[in-house]
Amino acid sequence: CDNAKGLKAFYDAIKYGPNHLMVFGGVCATVTSIIAESLKGWNLVQLSFAATTPELADKKKYPYFFRTVPSDNAVNPAILKLLKYYQWKRVGTLTQDVQRFSEVRNDLTGVLYGEDIEISDTESFSNDPCTSVKKLKGNDVRIILGQFDEEMAVKVFCCAYDEEMYGSKYQWIIPGWYENFWWESWINSSQCLSKNLLAAMEGYIGVDFEPLSSRKFKTISGRTPQQYEEEYNAKRGDGQSSKFHGYAYDGIWVIAKTLQRAMKYLNATNKHQKIEDFNYTNHKLGKIFLDAMNETNFFGVTGQVVFRNGERMGTIKFTQFQERKEVKVGEYNAVADTLEIFNNSIRFQGLEPPKDKTIIQEELRKISLPLYSILSALTILGMIMASAFLFFNIKNRNQKLIKMSSPYMNNLIILGGMLSYASIFLFGLDGSFVSEKTFETLCTVRTWILTVGYTTAFGAMFAKTWRVHAIFKNVKMKKKIIKDQKLLVIVGGMLLIDLCILICWQVVDPLRRTVEKYNMEPDPAGRDISIRPILEHCENTHMTIWLGIVYAYKGLLMLFGCFLAWETRNVSIPALNDSKYIGMSVYNVGIMCIIGAAVSFLTRDQPNVQFCIVALVIIFCSTITLCLVFVPKLITLRTNPDAATQNRRFQFTQNQKKEDSKTSTSVTSVNQASTSRLEGLQSENHRLRMKITELDKDLEEVTMQLQDTPEKTTYIKQNHYQDLNDILSIRNFTDSKDGEKAILKNHLDQNPPAQWGSSDPSRTNKDPIEDINSPEHIQRRLSLQLPILHHAYLPSIGGVDASCASPCVSPSASPRHRHVPPSFRVMVSGL
């Protein structure tokens, strides 16, 4: 393969030898290419039996060159046929940086171009192929077309083992002209264990030209390829075998047939010219030889011998590495352009041929039907509970306890809870239950239902609390009537704000169905496919902004509810004041909503978990709100229906209401028709208590003056008797017994409050000392009246109860004596 020696030998043969008709030979590509390039000047045709370099296929540069052996590029049509046979439409190439291999790779690119086969990645390497192998894996190349020698092949398969690019998912197609057991010569130069190398090599397919035809037919020589091989081996003896011997044998027959055709042509056209007349300047005879060579067509030991543009159209064989040996599995006939696989002898590592890429099967992650059924059952139970509360509220709407708690507002709370429950059914409907268009509609409907339900429930609850706050926190107002119609207007205003937000949302940036694709996952069934989960979402362009607006509004509503609950925390009328339960409800709902929103966002790729969290949050919030509002009322109504609407110290009876309003005892209570009158009664109560305190001081001063000097009777007469009449005429609120009122009335009847200076006609002639207005009489009368008066107003300052029948009984002896909070203490006079 020395270029200088080869070229010198050629020129010596031309100069010193006889006239040569043709040149036969040329094994080394470099020497052959130099000689073939100069043949045109010498008018010689060259036929090679071993030069396979693709460079010699250039007919513009080498017009007089022929070869009986297929070139390295001849395997590319065979590879194309194999790819089509197994429907591999996506491949990658791995090429050693050598001209021979690069030319094959470039020709393969041209062959595959336009055949609907994609070369997804083209990698080349000089010494270390591991980086290129890793890139092929990163680009998801499953079918690898390699061009490299034996030494590099060992390194390539070691890298393939390290990257796990072998087995049922990959197919390697490499040159098939390696020597038998080629890996044993290079295994020591790699860092790979022998068993690992063999594991990576298992199943690779080699592609090379067929040394001898496998068909059992007689060739032009009269021998079959098998008979020729036996004779060749017998004559070869112990000499080394060459895979080109069959092509050399057929090459001799090509030259013989070419000269025979040339002689026939000369005999038929020009009887005076013979092939012996050929010389290096006789271009006409040289052209005859060239045309005769192109017309070659016969069956040789290597198969059918045909030239197309000087290239041999031979047979390409396919071998597969199976259990440490190469097995012929098929062949490609270039003349007929047919591929034959022998009885499905190709063994793939899996149950089927590898896929040319990772088959991505999109799988809609849907909500589990059992999970949807369970949560739907819980939702139905919640709606049944809400319906039971609604029935209870309507049935007992005339009960004092329910009537004072605004039954209409209670109905709205229940309605809001049921709307929230209903939204759960819609949240669980995804692409597995409804169509894409229906899903997009549900995106809007479920948002509206949940938003309106939330505002309806908490808006009604906060409106009730606002009325209590308005009544009890403005003590300067004498009377304030807030009817349910006004509360309905407040709730309607809250809903109107919701509707404005939702309508603007729908018009400006409506919710759409979007599909989110996630990272691929291996198939749980072990198939050679990857699952790409996809999820349906309800989103729009400015989702964050709209959610921020809704959350801000709902947050302000919750803060308003917390403020009202805090302000009315001291109102101790259970029928009116739900501040404690509102606070508990707001706390639980707020915490659950924050946790639920965070967990729901973090589990976007897990629809079952996300739906479960959202549904449980809605169920919990709706259930806890309804239970906190209605369960205490239900328990109170069943155990003590009057305890929530009456003061703990006084009872209001029908007999007391029938008595004269001026002499009867009045009880501070909440009117069933208008609970707002409590404020006016409380203010009046406070004013009268202050008046009694002032009169009490005056009374004590009068008593002390009477005890000190009888001479001060005139002062009493002029200044204090009117105060006594004021005390006796005060009409405040009491729930005294009928017997108590009788004692006081009898006492007043027996001691009428006569005016100073008046006289009884029947007594005008008696002594002045016996006059009813005498100081003695006044002192005696006061000694009787003062204990009664003190007994009457002492409850207002923590003394005895007004129900005590005797003024002589101590305050602590009263069975009804207990401390009353200052804000709701009721005073009794009625004397």
Side-chain angles (χ1 to χ4, degrees):
C1 294
D2 189 307
N3 294 341
K5 291 181 179 181
L7 193 58
K8 182 179 184 302
F10 172 71
Y11 281 117
D12 288 344
I14 295 295
K15 183 177 180 180
Y16 300 110
N19 288 339
H20 299 282
L21 299 178
M22 294 181 185
V23 177
F24 182 65
V27 177
C28 296
T30 55
V31 176
T32 304
S33 61
I34 292 175
I35 295 175
E37 191 173 1
S38 62
L39 290 177
K40 186 176 180 180
W42 299 101
N43 204 25
L44 286 174
V45 175
Q46 181 181 7
L47 179 64
S48 174
F49 59 88
T52 60
T53 175
E55 180 186 5
L56 295 172
D58 186 359
K59 302 313 293 183
K60 293 181 179 180
K61 190 175 182 180
Y62 311 105
Y64 285 80
F65 179 80
F66 291 83
R67 50 187 167 189
T68 56
V69 62
S71 73
D72 293 336
N73 287 344
V75 300
N76 291 334
I79 292 175
L80 172 63
K81 207 69 177 180
L82 182 68
L83 296 178
K84 288 185 175 181
Y85 183 83
Y86 288 107
Q87 298 181 356
W88 291 328
K89 297 183 178 182
R90 185 175 182 271
V91 299
T93 62
L94 180 63
T95 309
Q96 184 180 353
D97 281 336
V98 176
Q99 182 180 1
R100 175 185 179 184
F101 300 124
S102 299
E103 289 175 350
V104 176
R105 189 265 318 276
N106 295 337
D107 182 74
L108 178 63
T109 302
V111 170
L112 298 182
Y113 181 78
E115 294 292 340
D116 197 25
I117 296 179
E118 173 193 359
I119 300 180
S120 59
D121 192 12
T122 300
E123 296 294 334
S124 61
F125 64 93
S126 297
N127 187 39
D128 184 11
C130 290
T131 303
S132 299
V133 171
K134 187 177 297 185
K135 289 181 180 180
L136 289 173
K137 182 178 181 180
N139 290 324
D140 190 35
V141 175
R142 299 290 195 90
I143 311 301
I144 304 100
L145 308 179
Q147 288 291 331
F148 33 75
D149 58 26
E150 296 98 324
E151 182 182 3
M152 290 296 108
V154 172
K155 295 182 178 180
V156 167
F157 282 110
C158 285
C159 297
Y161 181 84
D162 294 337
E163 296 295 331
E164 297 183 351
M165 289 185 66
Y166 65 95
S168 60
K169 295 182 179 181
Y170 296 91
Q171 183 60 60
W172 289 84
I173 301 175
I174 63 175
W177 43 261
Y178 301 160
E179 298 291 337
N180 292 332
F181 304 102
W182 55 268
W183 63 91
E184 294 180 352
S185 303
W186 303 101
I187 185 66
N188 296 328
S189 63
S190 68
Q191 302 296 327
C192 192
L193 297 178
S194 178
K195 62 177 182 178
N196 297 342
L197 176 63
L198 293 174
M201 290 168 53
E202 184 69 25
Y204 79 76
I205 295 176
V207 186
D208 193 19
F209 55 83
E210 184 73 273
L212 291 174
S213 176
S214 59
R215 300 182 182 275
K216 298 180 179 181
F217 54 81
K218 288 187 177 182
T219 63
I220 193 173
S221 64
R223 302 180 181 89
T224 64
Q226 293 75 24
Q227 292 173 343
Y228 162 78
E229 186 177 18
E230 291 177 1
E231 185 177 352
Y232 170 77
N233 290 331
K235 293 183 177 181
R236 177 175 59 88
D238 296 335
Q240 187 177 1
S241 174
S242 172
K243 67 177 182 179
F244 298 106
H245 66 84
Y247 293 99
Y249 181 79
D250 283 341
I252 299 298
W253 281 100
V254 169
I255 293 175
K257 295 295 290 185
T258 299
L259 294 176
Q260 184 182 28
R261 278 191 296 273
M263 293 172 62
K264 288 182 179 180
Y265 179 79
L266 291 175
N267 291 334
T269 58
N270 191 349
K271 298 181 180 180
H272 302 287
Q273 191 173 16
K274 299 179 181 180
I275 60 173
E276 292 84 353
D277 299 332
F278 173 77
N279 56 59
Y280 302 130
T281 60
N282 191 342
H283 294 284
K284 183 177 180 181
L285 196 55
K287 183 69 169 56
I288 292 174
F289 291 158
L290 184 62
D291 293 338
M293 184 76 73
N294 279 321
E295 294 175 1
T296 301
N297 189 351
F298 64 86
F299 286 96
V301 294
T302 58
Q304 188 175 5
V305 181
V306 178
F307 296 111
R308 184 177 299 171
N309 293 327
E311 293 295 308
R312 167 72 185 275
M313 303 299 294
T315 302
I316 306 300
K317 69 172 182 178
F318 293 95
T319 58
Q320 187 178 35
F321 188 78
Q322 299 177 2
E323 298 177 356
R324 300 174 65 97
K325 62 181 180 179
E326 290 186 345
V327 178
K328 185 178 178 180
V329 295
E331 65 180 21
Y332 168 74
N333 188 332
V335 178
D337 191 27
T338 58
L339 174 67
E340 181 183 4
I341 301 298
F342 301 147
N343 299 323
N344 296 322
S345 56
I346 294 183
R347 297 180 186 177
F348 295 107
Q349 301 299 302
L351 299 177
E352 57 183 1
K355 306 297 182 182
D356 57 1
K357 60 181 178 181
T358 300
I359 303 300
I360 301 175
Q361 180 176 333
E362 291 187 347
E363 184 177 276
L364 177 65
R365 283 188 172 177
K366 53 189 178 180
I367 295 174
S368 172
L369 183 59
L371 177 63
Y372 182 74
S373 302
I374 293 173
L375 294 176
S376 297
L378 293 177
T379 303
I380 293 174
L381 292 177
M383 298 184 76
I384 293 174
M385 180 195 69
S387 301
F389 287 149
L390 181 62
F391 174 77
F392 164 78
N393 192 67
I394 295 176
K395 181 180 178 181
N396 299 281
R397 64 185 181 276
N398 293 324
Q399 292 287 338
K400 189 179 300 183
L401 174 65
I402 304 301
K403 199 166 188 178
M404 291 176 62
S405 65
S406 302
Y408 293 112
M409 294 296 102
N410 293 341
N411 291 341
L412 288 180
I413 296 174
I414 297 173
L415 176 62
M418 296 187 74
L419 287 176
S420 299
Y421 281 128
S423 66
I424 297 176
F425 297 110
L426 304 182
F427 276 104
L429 297 177
D430 54 16
S432 60
F433 297 101
V434 297
S435 63
E436 294 182 4
K437 186 176 181 180
T438 305
F439 181 82
E440 194 166 287
T441 303
L442 290 177
C443 289
T444 302
V445 174
R446 70 191 189 186
T447 303
W448 282 55
I449 290 179
L450 182 60
T451 303
V452 171
Y454 177 92
T455 303
T456 302
F458 282 93
M461 187 187 302
F462 297 157
K464 288 173 50 180
T465 310
W466 172 82
R467 178 163 63 183
V468 176
H469 175 269
I471 292 174
F472 286 93
K473 286 299 177 179
N474 193 356
V475 296
K476 295 181 180 180
M477 300 180 61
K478 293 184 178 180
K479 186 175 182 180
K480 187 176 181 67
I481 300 176
I482 303 176
K483 297 183 178 181
D484 285 347
Q485 288 80 354
K486 189 170 183 179
L487 302 185
L488 291 174
V489 171
I490 295 175
V491 177
M494 296 178 181
L495 291 175
L496 183 61
I497 296 175
D498 265 336
L499 292 177
C500 290
I501 296 174
L502 293 173
I503 291 174
C504 292
W505 189 350
Q506 183 65 24
V507 172
V508 176
D509 192 12
L511 289 171
R512 302 291 184 187
R513 175 185 177 271
T514 60
V515 176
E516 184 176 3
K517 297 182 179 181
Y518 291 87
N519 295 330
M520 293 183 295
E521 300 175 353
D523 180 46
R527 297 174 297 173
D528 186 19
I529 62 174
S530 293
I531 306 298
R532 183 184 293 278
I534 61 174
L535 283 180
E536 294 176 313
H537 295 296
C538 294
E539 293 180 345
N540 52 15
T541 306
H542 304 289
M543 189 72 176
T544 305
I545 296 176
W546 293 108
L547 288 179
I549 294 174
V550 173
Y551 289 160
Y553 171 55
K554 302 302 179 185
L556 291 176
L557 190 61
M558 296 289 282
L559 291 177
F560 178 65
C562 291
F563 167 76
L564 293 177
W566 176 260
E567 286 292 307
T568 59
R569 66 190 184 281
N570 291 325
V571 178
S572 59
I573 301 178
L576 287 176
N577 186 22
D578 293 329
S579 61
K580 179 175 68 174
Y581 303 121
I582 290 175
M584 294 172 61
S585 177
V586 170
Y587 174 79
N588 286 282
V589 170
I591 294 298
M592 290 301 297
C593 287
I594 293 174
I595 296 176
V599 175
S600 176
F601 178 78
L602 295 176
T603 57
R604 282 171 55 89
D605 58 338
Q606 303 178 40
N608 285 323
V609 177
Q610 187 182 42
F611 172 65
C612 183
I613 294 298
V614 171
L616 290 178
V617 167
I618 295 176
I619 292 174
F620 176 82
C621 293
S622 301
T623 303
I624 198 69
T625 300
L626 293 175
C627 290
L628 287 174
V629 172
F630 292 99
V631 170
K633 293 179 175 56
L634 181 64
I635 296 175
T636 303
L637 194 63
R638 291 181 61 86
T639 57
N640 189 8
D642 295 329
T645 58
Q646 295 180 348
N647 188 281
R648 294 182 179 181
R649 303 184 65 185
F650 305 102
Q651 294 183 348
F652 188 85
T653 63
Q654 291 292 332
N655 293 332
Q656 291 171 334
K657 291 195 293 181
K658 293 180 181 179
E659 293 185 4
D660 188 0
S661 60
K662 294 183 179 180
T663 59
S664 65
T665 303
S666 301
V667 179
T668 301
S669 64
V670 181
N671 189 283
Q672 297 180 8
S674 177
T675 59
S676 62
R677 295 189 59 187
L678 286 173
E679 180 187 10
L681 296 175
Q682 185 183 19
S683 178
E684 184 69 15
N685 188 1
H686 179 72
R687 186 185 64 82
L688 294 176
R689 285 163 51 199
M690 297 299 295
K691 182 66 175 177
I692 287 178
T693 302
E694 295 175 358
L695 294 178
D696 179 50
K697 293 180 180 180
D698 293 341
L699 186 59
E700 289 180 358
E701 183 178 353
V702 171
T703 303
M704 294 179 62
Q705 290 175 354
L706 290 175
Q707 291 175 355
D708 291 340
T709 57
E711 290 78 13
K712 295 183 179 180
T713 305
T714 305
Y715 175 79
I716 297 173
K717 175 180 178 180
Q718 294 176 354
N719 297 297
H720 295 287
Y721 192 80
Q722 183 62 35
D723 293 337
L724 293 176
N725 288 334
D726 291 340
I727 294 175
L728 298 176
S729 62
I730 292 174
R731 294 295 182 263
N732 210 324
F733 313 100
T734 183
D735 59 348
S736 300
K737 305 294 184 179
D738 291 341
E740 294 174 297
K741 292 192 295 181
I743 293 173
L744 296 176
K745 185 175 180 181
N746 292 335
H747 179 73
L748 290 174
D749 291 341
Q750 294 173 6
N751 300 278
Q755 298 293 331
W756 289 94
S758 63
S759 61
D760 189 351
S762 63
R763 304 188 54 164
T764 56
N765 298 325
K766 296 185 179 182
D767 292 334
I769 195 169
E770 294 181 357
D771 187 66
I772 193 170
N773 291 325
S774 64
E776 292 80 7
H777 281 219
I778 292 175
Q779 185 174 6
R780 187 167 54 251
R781 193 159 52 245
L782 288 175
S783 65
L784 178 63
Q785 291 178 349
L786 284 177
I788 297 176
L789 292 175
H790 277 278
H791 175 70
Y793 65 75
L794 273 177
S796 65
I797 58 173
V800 298
D801 193 278
S803 62
C804 182
S806 174
C808 302
V809 181
S810 66
S812 60
S814 173
R816 291 169 55 104
H817 176 264
R818 59 177 61 90
H819 178 68
V820 180
S823 299
F824 298 96
R825 192 157 51 219
V826 179
M827 294 148 295
V828 181
S829 59
L831 296 178

